[in-house]
């Protein structure tokens, strides 16, 4: 526990600082805000890749989805805790520098600026706090020694994050009309739907197959807190998928602007 927590607490700020220093040299013309935002997205993608790989290792190692154990299922939780804590601060930094660029920033680290951040990013902040204060105790204590397979499944939900980050980076680089951006949009939709929406019925199906029951019986056979946690997890995913889908419709249905000077 403590080693994993310390590892994450050192790793993610160090990666962010390294990314920021590299961008200072590679892109000196960029604003401080742009360098901070891009560094944060790079670290987010690295963490997402780590989580997805850890989840796949756990999933393929647990033949019995209820009782089989894998050490990564427990230890990576503390990496997630350190990352979510780090990411809350990076989100605040991005918010403050964006506000500064617009001339709307309050004094950095002031109560007013923190309040503005919490109002602007309430959904993402709630998501992070929920993971830290609700999911972590469930994963560490309430589930006992059962369900490493399902913890691994939850880790794989991060598969879409590198594609989401790449899409934002391409927009930051003014490449939103490129073929790469459109292909990446398809990958965002596919990975988000697969690993953040279908993931939940898949977990119920895996449990049903293991115990030889109908998938419709599963909600009545598992602890209530598991159903509640899954419902609270999938709710924001459905909302974000709706936003992503709406943005994709605009992206793929918009006709290229005609050059009327010809």
């Amino acid at each position: 526990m403590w080693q994993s927590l310390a590892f994450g607490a050192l790793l993610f700020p160090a990666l962010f600082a390294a990314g920021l220093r590299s961008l200072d040299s590679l892109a000196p013309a960029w604003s401080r805000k742009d360098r901070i935002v891009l560094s944060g997205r790079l670290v987010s993608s690295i963490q997402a890749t780590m989580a997805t790989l850890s989840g796949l290792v756990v999933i393929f190692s647990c033949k019995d989805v209820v009782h089989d154990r894998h050490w990564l299922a427990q230890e990576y939780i503390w990496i997630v805790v350190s990352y979510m804590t780090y990411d809350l601060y990076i989100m605040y930094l991005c918010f403050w520098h964006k506000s500064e660029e617009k001339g709307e920033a309050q004094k950095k680290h002031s109560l007013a600026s923190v309040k503005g951040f919490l109002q602007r990013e309430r959904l993402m902040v709630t998501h992070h706090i929920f993971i830290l204060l609700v999911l972590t105790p469930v994963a560490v204590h309430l589930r006992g020694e059962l369900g490493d397979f399902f913890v691994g499944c939850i880790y794989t939900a991060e598969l879409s994050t590198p594609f989401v980050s790449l899409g934002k980076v391409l927009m930051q680089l003014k490449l939103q009309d490129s073929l790469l951006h459109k292909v990446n949009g398809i990958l965002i939709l596919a990975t988000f739907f697969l690993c953040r929406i279908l993931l939940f019925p898949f977990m119920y199906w895996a449990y049903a197959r293991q115990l030889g029951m109908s998938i419709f019986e599963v909600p009545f056979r598992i602890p209530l807190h598991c159903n509640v946690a899954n419902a609270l997890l999938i709710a924001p995913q459905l909302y974000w998928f709706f936003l992503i889908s709406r943005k994709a419709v605009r992206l793929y249905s918009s006709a290229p602007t005609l050059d009327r000077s010809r």
Side-chain angles (χ1 to χ4, degrees), residues 223-244:
L224 176 62
H225 63 260
C226 294
N227 288 315
V228 172
N230 284 332
L232 291 174
L233 271 176
I234 198 172
Q237 312 307 327
L238 291 170
Y239 173 70
W240 285 323
F241 186 71
F242 166 74
L243 295 181
I244 293 170

Side-chain angles (χ1 to χ4, degrees), residues 43 56 80 90 109 150 171 173 185 226 236 238:
V43 176
L56 290 174
V80 172
I90 298 303
H109 300 133
F150 302 106
M171 293 180 67
L173 297 173
C226 294
L238 291 170

Side-chain angles (χ1 to χ4, degrees), residues 83-129:
Y83 172 75
M84 290 295 168
T85 306
Y86 145 88
D87 197 48
L88 281 170
Y89 181 66
I90 298 303
M91 285 167 53
Y92 168 76
L93 277 184
C94 292
F95 164 81
W96 189 86
H97 281 278
K98 287 177 182 177
S99 299
E100 183 189 40
E101 198 171 80
K102 296 175 182 176
E104 303 171 354
Q106 303 286 341
K107 183 180 178 182
K108 196 173 185 180
H109 300 133
S110 67
L111 183 61
S113 70
V114 172
K115 183 179 178 181
F117 162 67
L118 294 176
Q119 290 175 340
R120 178 68 179 272
E121 301 290 346
R122 64 172 67 90
L123 183 57
M124 283 301 295
V125 170
T126 301
H127 170 265
H128 282 43
I129 296 297

